[in-house]
């Protein structure tokens, strides 16, 4: 056998294979190292990324700036609690006013005498029964007004809105309406009008 003939070389499995004519077979360690680091001719060239930001800026398009973090969703507890307490207190006061006003509204004669005493008038209604329908109407308006105010206030409180002004404004409104209703019979009575004019003229 000549020197140029390949000689058998046992591999890692113990089997013999022909010796290469030129060079040597790579060992398993060399093969693994070769696989992990490929030859330069097999490496694909990395193309630089296109200047997207620069082109977008030239076109007048600017990247979105990071927005400020949103404030905490939870509202301050103390203002809500104060608003709730004030609202409930005003509703309770309105309910007390409605309940205590019913007797005087339903007894218009007693209401008229009280008003004459406050105004300092020495006069009597010509027809006390004529004022009873107005007293009943005033009581109904006051009761329905309080119920509507309470419903709107509860609806507003459940949505976390400022509510204390609702019963306050409603109380002023319905007190004015009932006052007008209760004053109509007084201002329609000739004796009361004469007494008022006499007091004003004197």
């Amino acid at each position: 056998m000549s020197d140029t003939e390949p000689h058998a070389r046992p591999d890692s499995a113990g089997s013999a294979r022909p010796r290469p004519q030129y060079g040597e077979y790579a060992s398993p360690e060399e093969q693994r190292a070769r696989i992990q680091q490929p030859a330069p001719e097999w490496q694909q060239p990395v193309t630089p990324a296109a200047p997207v930001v620069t082109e977008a800026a030239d076109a007048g398009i600017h990247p979105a700036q990071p927005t400020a973090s949103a404030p905490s969703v939870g509202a301050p507890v103390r203002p809500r609690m104060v608003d709730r307490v004030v609202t409930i207190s005003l509703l309770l006061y309105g309910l007390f006013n409605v309940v205590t006003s019913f007797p005087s509204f339903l007894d218009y004669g007693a209401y008229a005498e009280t008003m004459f005493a406050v105004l300092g008038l020495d006069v009597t209604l010509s027809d006390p029964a004529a004022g009873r329908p107005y007293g009943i109407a005033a009581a109904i308006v006051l009761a329905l007004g309080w119920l509507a105010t309470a419903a709107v206030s509860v609806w507003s409180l459940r949505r976390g809105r400022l509510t204390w002004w609702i019963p306050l404004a409603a109380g002023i409104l319905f007190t004015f309406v009932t006052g007008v209703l209760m004053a109509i019979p007084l201002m329609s009575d000739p004796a009361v009008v004469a007494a008022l004019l006499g007091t004003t003229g004197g």
Side-chain angles (χ1 to χ4, degrees):
M1 181 181 297
S2 63
D3 295 338
T4 60
E5 293 180 358
H7 299 283
R9 178 182 178 182
D11 57 5
S12 60
S15 61
R17 57 179 176 176
R19 182 186 180 90
Q21 186 175 1
Y22 302 101
E24 295 288 342
Y25 286 113
S27 64
E29 291 77 7
E30 294 174 345
Q31 293 178 6
R32 285 194 294 269
R34 191 67 173 176
I35 292 173
Q36 293 177 359
Q37 187 175 2
E41 59 270 12
W42 289 97
Q43 296 181 357
Q44 297 182 357
V46 179
T47 57
V52 179
V53 177
T54 304
E55 294 179 359
D58 295 340
I61 303 174
H62 301 281
Q65 299 295 331
T67 57
S69 58
S72 176
V73 177
V77 178
R78 184 175 179 81
R80 284 190 176 183
M81 182 60 64
V82 172
D83 178 66
R84 186 181 299 271
V85 171
V86 173
T87 301
I88 295 175
S89 300
L90 290 174
L91 288 174
L92 291 177
Y93 175 77
L95 179 61
F96 174 79
N97 186 34
V98 170
V99 173
T100 55
S101 298
F102 272 5
S104 60
F105 285 173
L106 298 179
D107 187 0
Y108 194 84
Y111 171 81
E113 292 178 0
T114 302
M115 292 300 298
F116 295 155
V118 172
L119 296 175
L121 298 177
D122 186 12
V123 66
T124 304
L125 284 176
S126 303
D127 186 8
R132 181 174 175 81
Y134 291 93
I136 295 175
I140 294 175
V141 169
L142 196 61
L144 294 179
W146 185 89
L147 291 175
T149 303
V152 174
S153 299
V154 171
W155 176 84
S156 180
L157 285 174
R158 288 181 176 178
R159 280 155 181 77
R161 299 177 179 177
L162 194 65
T163 310
W164 65 268
W165 63 272
I166 296 178
L168 180 63
I172 296 173
L173 173 63
F174 290 109
T175 300
F176 175 77
V177 172
T178 55
V180 170
L181 289 173
M182 297 297 286
I184 290 176
L186 296 178
M187 302 307 298
S188 301
D189 194 302
V192 176
V193 174
L196 288 173
L197 293 177
T199 302
T200 305

